[in-house]
Amino acid sequence: MKLLNYINGRFAEPQSGKWFDNTDPATQTVYSQIPDSDSRDVDAAVAAAEEAFKTWSVMPVKKRSDILLRLVSLIDANLDQLAEAESLDNGKPVWLAKQVDIPRASANFHFYATAALHLNSETHAMENTAINYTLRQPIGVAGCISPWNLPLYLFTWKIAPALASGNCVVAKPSEITPVTAHLLSELCIKAGLPAGVLNIVHGTGPNVGAAIAAHPRIPVISFTGGTKTGAEISRVAAPMFKKLSLELGGKNPNIIFEDCDFEHALSTTIKSSFSNQGEICLCGSRIFIERSIYDKFKEALVAKTKQLKTGDPKDKENFLGAIVSKPHYEKILSYIDLAQQEGGTILCGGKAIHPQGRCANGLFIEPTIIENLPYTCRTNQEEIFGPVVTLTPFDTEEEVLKMANSTSYGLAATVWTTNLSRAHRVAAALHSGIVWINCWLLRDLRTPFGGVKHSGVGREGGFEALKFFTEEKNICIKL
Ligand code: NDP
């Protein structure tokens, strides 16, 4: 399969005339070719988006909404094909892509196509003097750059609010997982999305991503990815005064108090540790357990983890699929080595897996639990982004808060307790953009989503995202 860029409503070859290989991580075989685009393709996409903006930005919002809702129906109708493509590209189990990734991509468009109908603005009356009202206007061409872990889910999480609020978009999916973005282009054509409203340019971060960040006619950028890349985009974009939303890495704490609902905490901790091979920015990778239940919880968690099956993403029995790419697989294994050098004890997992059959050459790692590490060590401070968690006991609330808040990240945290006062107290004291109490990854798309410290700048979700993609203009009328 040869992928193509989607520019000005049509498929287009990259200007370089070059493609590079796309590999299935479950078998390590090449199965598609990705356009090796560069700044010339981004220029063409920006020109198309600018032209389209002239009509899309002034189109009645109901009409825009109707077009985006046609896309929702098409995503729903193509659930199986999209889920299989996502699994092939990323290595995640097909069942997971069917249950989570693709329904959420549809929900993203549905949510913003309808939310835009309700976006309102403010008026401020100055008694007997004047009245102010605020217009919220689309900004222009938005740049959307997304990562490989939840490919279509996160790609659409940016594109949907940008389009619904009247902007046109130049978007780049991760070069590691581009196929569902390519399939989305086909659906956009079928849905009758006007030419140039959405443009998708495939290629590498240093070529295409950097060209979007540096483009003088892209005034607003929404980025999800690693903290280092986010810093680079800020460095390039800040002197041009671009509006930036940055959703970056995490090293999330999962805090388990003695008075938790043990079975519920246990079963959810399995999911928050190892879902999507631990490659979710919201996974809880540092598990803190109150000392009085440390051994009991540890033993139960290890026993349950040993029952998890890892292997062929097409097999419904497997909870974990393949790791997304060879460099990422090697990075995760190197952190497991590092943990041992730092004095950690591996309680289960810790090794690569070579399943029998068609996935014998695939990139699989056992779900891994490690204990006996100081909270300050690199394994406990740096993002691993794989099926690897550490266990650390604690004695007091004060102590666990100190450890939980000790990293440079602050994306999400999970707290397990039946003490209501403690739940509120701990939630308020955590340095984190999102706190789940007695649950994990329960998402209401209306809520603000994002991190503090090195986990990002700005909030996505709800009206926050529609506001981000619009500029406020106050108009004051003298009475
Ligand atoms: P990267 O930062 O490597 O890549 C993210 C995107 O940026 C990709 O499309 C990438 O392209 C592109 N890119 C790379 N270099 C540049 C550049 N110089 N300028 C512009 N764009 C560039 O992250 P990963 O894809 O490895 O994703 C994993 C990271 O994402 C983790 O740190 C994870 O925590 C974070 N993440 C955060 C989330 C959040 O909501 N806070 C959600 C999900 C993930 P290419 O792939 O082609 O290199």
Side-chain angles (χ1 to χ4, degrees), residues 145-150 154 172-176 203-206 208-211 213 223-230 232-233 246-250 280-282 328 383 385 411 449-451 455 460:
I145 304 174
S146 57
W148 48 255
N149 63 327
L150 299 165
L154 289 174
K172 184 196 119 46
S174 169
E175 78 197 53
I176 301 166
T204 66
V208 177
F223 169 80
T224 299
T227 295
K228 255 195 193 159
T229 317
E232 171 61 12
I233 290 176
L246 302 173
E247 298 296 340
L248 310 176
I280 303 181
C281 53
L282 305 164
H328 194 57
E383 187 183 43
F385 214 52
L411 186 56
F449 179 94
S455 288
E460 296 186 326

Side-chain angles (χ1 to χ4, degrees), residues 69-144:
L69 289 174
R70 289 209 289 273
L71 201 48
V72 171
S73 306
L74 286 164
I75 294 174
D76 293 344
N78 288 278
L79 170 71
D80 289 348
Q81 187 203 7
L82 289 164
E84 278 154 26
E86 203 71 295
S87 164
L88 189 61
D89 231 8
N90 169 279
K92 69 179 69 204
V94 174
W95 65 260
L96 184 68
K98 247 183 218 176
Q99 268 178 34
V100 177
D101 294 70
I102 309 307
R104 177 59 192 274
S106 160
N108 288 340
F109 276 116
H110 191 274
F111 180 85
Y112 280 109
T114 49
L117 301 172
H118 306 279
L119 185 64
N120 55 21
S121 61
E122 295 172 8
T123 64
H124 299 278
M126 302 164 75
E127 289 82 2
N128 301 325
T129 317
I131 185 156
N132 296 272
Y133 67 92
T134 309
L135 286 181
R136 277 201 172 276
Q137 296 175 308
I139 300 173
V141 181
C144 297

Side-chain angles (χ1 to χ4, degrees), residues 374-392:
Y375 75 93
T376 48
C377 71
R378 281 184 57 206
T379 309
N380 268 327
Q381 293 288 315
E382 297 175 14
E383 187 183 43
I384 301 174
F385 214 52
V388 180
V389 296
T390 62
L391 307 186
T392 308

